[in-house]
Amino acid sequence: MAERKPIESWLTDMDGVLIHEGVPIPGADAFIKKLRETGKPFLVLTNNSIYTARDLHARLSRMGLDVPVENIWTSALATAQFLDDQRPGGTAYVIGEAGLTTALHDIGYVLTDHDPDYVVLGETRTYSFEALTKAIRLINAGARFIGTNPDETGPSAEGPLPATGSVAALITKATGKEPYFAGKPNPLMMRTGLNAIGAHSETSAMIGDRMDTDVLAGLEAGMETFLVLTGLTSPEGIDKFPFRPSKVVDSIADLVDRI
């Protein structure tokens, strides 16, 4: 097997890698600081579509992590990029929060419930029966079904919350239509992110805490992959998958010297 080229660009998941339940993971500040000092291209990624990049910048800043807005890439931004490429200036009925609606407004989409080109499902803490019913009827009437990410659950201080993937399954059951998910593990999110920072997969690495999204997305995008054990995947859980990360480390602190 050909030896991989040196890592010139870094992509990292946010929850479980840099922060956990609103608290920075030890080493995260040193990792971000080293990236900024060396000037190497990097992105912080999240499948969560609730927040805008500006929201996340402010949230991370309060935790002592200085990540510029342009270095944050969300599934909402990846979804908007995909729709802009597919059908510029289109229309969409959206179930989601400001992260998603802002991303769609920014690409010139009109948000409407009247014969939209797409139904776009994202994360929200207030899924309503009325909105889901409307989405189902619009999809049955011909709207194309898009989901920001396939995550079935999301973290909270009280325990797991149902996420986009779970709600999408409800809509699929009612319509018979599967959504197209733009977020991880779709390598589309990685490739659009790499393009945003002018990086190439051959010289880039993906850091994540989940085998089924982060590592899989990095692998399918042709990147080197690092799994950290500060999030959802345990050492015992790795062998349950038919693929492996390039390397397993205890935490982000173990990668500071790799930059």
Side-chain angles (χ1 to χ4, degrees), residues 11-39:
L11 275 63
T12 176
D13 186 39
M14 187 171 68
D15 292 302
V17 179
L18 299 178
I19 62 174
H20 179 67
E21 293 183 358
V23 178
I25 289 171
D29 54 346
F31 184 80
I32 297 297
K33 184 179 179 184
K34 185 85 174 284
L35 284 171
R36 300 201 66 188
E37 286 175 350
T38 59

Side-chain angles (χ1 to χ4, degrees), residues 38-107:
T38 59
K40 288 193 173 179
F42 75 97
L43 277 182
V44 173
L45 295 94
T46 178
N47 256 359
N48 190 319
S49 63
I50 290 178
Y51 305 105
T52 66
R54 290 188 297 276
D55 294 335
L56 292 173
H57 164 73
R59 180 183 173 202
L60 291 168
S61 292
R62 287 194 296 271
M63 300 180 207
L65 301 178
D66 188 12
V67 182
V69 171
E70 59 269 23
N71 293 97
I72 297 172
W73 192 244
T74 71
S75 65
L77 292 171
T79 299
Q81 178 72 65
F82 170 74
L83 294 180
D84 193 34
D85 290 341
Q86 291 284 308
R87 190 177 288 260
T91 58
Y93 175 69
V94 177
I95 298 176
E97 300 286 346
L100 182 55
T101 56
T102 300
L104 292 174
H105 276 304
D106 286 348
I107 61 163

Side-chain angles (χ1 to χ4, degrees), residues 7 9-13 17 31 35 41-45 73 189-194 197 199 204-208 223-224 226:
I7 299 169
S9 308
W10 293 85
L11 275 63
T12 176
D13 186 39
V17 179
F31 184 80
L35 284 171
F42 75 97
L43 277 182
V44 173
L45 295 94
W73 192 244
M189 182 171 177
M190 318 301 282
R191 294 187 187 283
T192 52
L194 289 170
I197 58 172
S204 298
M206 174 65 196
I207 310 165
M223 302 165 65
E224 193 163 349
F226 293 90

Side-chain angles (χ1 to χ4, degrees), residues 35-231:
L35 284 171
R36 300 201 66 188
E37 286 175 350
T38 59
K40 288 193 173 179
F42 75 97
L43 277 182
V44 173
L45 295 94
T46 178
N47 256 359
N48 190 319
S49 63
I50 290 178
Y51 305 105
T52 66
R54 290 188 297 276
D55 294 335
L56 292 173
H57 164 73
R59 180 183 173 202
L60 291 168
S61 292
R62 287 194 296 271
M63 300 180 207
L65 301 178
D66 188 12
V67 182
V69 171
E70 59 269 23
N71 293 97
I72 297 172
W73 192 244
T74 71
S75 65
L77 292 171
T79 299
Q81 178 72 65
F82 170 74
L83 294 180
D84 193 34
D85 290 341
Q86 291 284 308
R87 190 177 288 260
T91 58
Y93 175 69
V94 177
I95 298 176
E97 300 286 346
L100 182 55
T101 56
T102 300
L104 292 174
H105 276 304
D106 286 348
I107 61 163
Y109 255 55
V110 173
L111 307 189
T112 179
D113 62 0
H114 178 69
D115 193 26
D117 296 318
Y118 297 97
V119 166
V120 184
L121 176 68
E123 223 83 61
T124 175
R125 297 290 163 82
T126 57
Y127 289 111
S128 79
F129 186 78
E130 181 183 0
L132 294 175
T133 300
K134 183 164 292 197
I136 288 164
R137 290 173 179 168
L138 291 170
I139 291 168
N140 281 335
R144 301 152 190 86
F145 186 16
I146 301 291
T148 56
N149 69 84
D151 293 17
E152 294 166 355
T153 60
S156 80
E158 296 78 29
L161 295 170
T164 307
S166 294
V167 180
L170 182 155
I171 295 174
T172 295
K173 196 73 174 175
T175 62
K177 303 287 177 62
E178 296 279 350
Y180 180 80
F181 290 115
K184 299 177 292 180
N186 189 342
L188 173 84
M189 182 171 177
M190 318 301 282
R191 294 187 187 283
T192 52
L194 289 170
N195 289 341
I197 58 172
H200 194 284
S201 59
E202 283 188 351
T203 54
S204 298
M206 174 65 196
I207 310 165
D209 70 310
R210 292 182 62 152
M211 290 288 290
D212 57 345
T213 55
D214 305 320
V215 172
L216 181 57
L219 175 73
E220 293 191 344
M223 302 165 65
E224 193 163 349
T225 55
F226 293 90
L227 178 76
V228 297
L229 301 176
T230 48

